[in-house]
């Protein structure tokens, strides 16, 4: 068993871009069929499967190495359930989620704020949401350093917590001398080195992004 496996989690948003350099592949609901259509492994299938037909569900169940069918009425979203199962099996996993954006806005926001779930919060530094235009990561209370993601132009900081966020080394710094409170500090940029962020409490969503080409 790998000590820190790289796991791809495919969910139900737009799946027009992804990478395949992973040790395990997990599908949520209809995204399981997408993995199979691509000829990729389906190591785990998760969901209530309300978006597939009975015959499609039979294909998923017969093909997946493991399948977890959940009731439609549950506290967790299918994506939250999938992440919890992943970290139960592989506590050191690094998980990249594809298909987290696009589609229903409530689903997208649920994905963006996944780590507000107390069971997922301890794993926030190993969860990434990704598409061609955006990369979302998370950082908890404390000091953090960020380097530019290739092909991305901007970096934004969405704060979930109180207190004065500090941003150093960016084009637009945020310190005690110029602090102003916002929910999201958007469209910042790297200069000639890393950006240093101090999170007073809670967590911050780090969004590296670029304009649509």
């Amino acid at each position: 068993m790998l000590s820190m496996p790289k796991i791809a989690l495919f969910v139900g948003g737009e799946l027009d871009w992804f990478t395949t350099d992973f040790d395990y592949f997990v599908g949520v609901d209809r995204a399981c069929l997408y993995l199979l259509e691509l000829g990729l492994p389906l190591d785990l299938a998760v969901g209530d499967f309300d978006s597939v037909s009975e015959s499609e569900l039979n294909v998923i169940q017969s093909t997946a190495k493991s399948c977890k069918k959940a009731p439609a009425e549950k506290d967790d979203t299918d994506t939250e359930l999938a992440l919890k199962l992943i970290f139960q099996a592989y506590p050191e996993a690094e998980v990249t989620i594809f298909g987290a954006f696009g589609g229903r806005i409530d689903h997208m926001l649920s994905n963006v704020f996944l780590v507000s779930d107390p069971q997922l919060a301890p794993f926030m530094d190993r969860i990434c949401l990704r598409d061609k235009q955006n990369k979302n990561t998370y950082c908890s209370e404390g000091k953090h350093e960020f380097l530019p993601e290739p092909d991305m132009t901007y970096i934004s900081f969405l704060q979930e917590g109180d207190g004065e966020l500090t941003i150093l080394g960016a084009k637009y710094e945020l310190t005690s001398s110029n602090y102003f409170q916002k929910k999201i500090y958007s469209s910042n940029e790297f200069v000639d080195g890393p950006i240093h962020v101090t999170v007073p409490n809670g967590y911050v969503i780090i969004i590296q992004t670029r304009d649509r080409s």
Side-chain angles (χ1 to χ4, degrees), residues 109 112-113 134-137 154-161 163 165 167 172 174 179-188 203-209:
L109 289 173
V112 169
F113 292 98
N134 308 280
K135 179 181 180 180
N136 283 24
T137 56
Y154 306 104
I155 182 168
S156 301
F157 307 87
L158 197 163
Q159 185 176 8
E160 275 292 287
L165 182 70
I167 303 170
Y172 307 106
L174 187 67
Y179 179 79
F180 62 101
Q181 186 173 6
K182 292 189 73 173
K183 183 64 177 177
I184 179 168
Y185 302 88
S186 60
S187 300
N188 212 328
Y203 67 92
V204 169
I205 302 172
I206 307 297
I207 307 166
Q208 294 205 47
T209 188

Side-chain angles (χ1 to χ4, degrees), residues 31 40 43 52 60-61 66 70-71 83 99 117 142 146 157 159 199:
L40 293 170
D43 296 294
V52 302
I60 292 169
Q61 291 177 320
S66 179
L83 278 173
D117 186 312
F146 297 94
F157 307 87
Q159 185 176 8
V199 183

Side-chain angles (χ1 to χ4, degrees), residues 51-125:
S51 63
V52 302
S53 67
E54 185 175 347
S55 61
E56 288 171 331
L57 177 56
N58 289 335
V59 170
I60 292 169
Q61 291 177 320
S62 63
T63 309
K65 294 179 183 178
S66 179
C67 183
K68 174 66 175 179
K69 190 174 187 298
E73 296 182 0
K74 56 188 183 302
D75 293 332
D76 293 327
T77 66
D78 288 338
T79 304
E80 289 168 342
L81 177 60
L83 278 173
K84 290 176 183 181
L85 291 171
I86 289 170
F87 287 119
Q88 283 174 13
Y90 304 103
E92 301 301 319
E94 294 180 348
V95 182
T96 301
I97 305 175
F98 300 103
F101 311 124
R104 284 174 48 179
I105 193 169
D106 58 334
H107 285 170
M108 183 182 72
L109 289 173
S110 293
N111 292 333
V112 169
F113 292 98
L114 279 166
V115 301
S116 63
D117 186 312
Q119 290 180 259
L120 295 176
F123 305 101
M124 70 172 63
D125 63 338

